[in-house]
């Protein structure tokens, strides 16, 4: 799976956006176990700031801490925060990227 984080920098008075791409080959069974624990204690539809921080910390851990919690919050557009977290959770649960899941759904029932 890959995760793209944006970085905004100012260069000669103008804003420059660059992207950093992070990849992992798989999530571990320990990550799956942690998701089960989250499911037991977090109401995902009414998360607190602290719970968001825990979940984002988990995303960082899944990606082997190639980036920090602050890097994640700064690098993900606000309107894609939940989608990005859900994509990582789905990858941990299924071992499939969002694209692979979509492809399977589109080809369901086709030979």
């Amino acid at each position: 799976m890959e995760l793209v984080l944006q970085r905004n920098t100012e260069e000669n008075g103008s804003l420059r956006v660059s992207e950093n791409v992070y990849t992992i080959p798989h999530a571990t069974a320990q990550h799956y176990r942690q998701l089960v624990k989250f499911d037991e204690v977090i109401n995902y539809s009414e998360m607190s700031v602290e719970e968001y921080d825990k979940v984002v910390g988990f995303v960082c851990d899944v990606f082997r801490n190639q980036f920090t919690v602050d890097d994640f919050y700064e690098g993900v557009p606000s309107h894609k925060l939940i989608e990005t977290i859900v994509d990582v959770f789905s990858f941990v649960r299924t071992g499939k990227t969002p694209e692979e899941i979509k492809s399977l759904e589109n080809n369901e029932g086709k030979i």
Side-chain angles (χ1 to χ4, degrees):
M1 174 172 194
E2 75 175 32
L3 179 66
V4 178
L5 298 181
Q6 296 178 346
R7 180 179 206 125
N8 299 321
T9 56
E10 192 171 319
E11 193 173 290
N12 297 328
S14 61
L15 186 63
R16 182 173 174 263
V17 178
S18 60
E19 293 183 340
N20 294 324
V21 179
Y22 302 94
T23 61
I24 53 169
H26 68 277
T28 67
Q30 187 65 30
H31 292 130
Y32 187 90
R33 182 177 183 276
Q34 184 61 49
L35 269 187
V36 172
K37 283 177 139 181
F38 284 158
D39 291 345
E40 292 174 352
V41 297
I42 294 177
N43 177 352
Y44 296 112
S45 62
E46 295 180 19
M47 288 174 49
S48 67
V49 171
E50 292 80 15
E51 289 170 328
Y52 271 105
D53 289 346
K54 283 182 186 178
V55 168
V56 170
F58 172 76
V59 169
C60 295
D61 189 54
V62 169
F63 276 85
R64 315 304 195 265
N65 295 306
Q66 297 177 71
F67 50 87
T68 67
V69 169
D70 288 337
D71 293 336
F72 181 87
Y73 279 130
E74 289 293 322
V76 174
S78 62
H79 65 282
K80 292 195 174 210
L81 174 65
I82 294 171
E83 175 186 339
T84 303
I85 293 169
V86 168
D87 287 349
V88 173
F89 276 32
S90 181
F91 180 73
V92 171
R93 292 182 199 280
T94 67
K96 297 187 181 341
T97 65
E99 295 79 17
E100 290 171 324
I101 292 170
K102 186 171 226 150
S103 176
L104 288 172
E105 290 170 353
N106 289 339
N107 292 323
E108 191 172 286
K110 295 183 181 179
I111 298 177

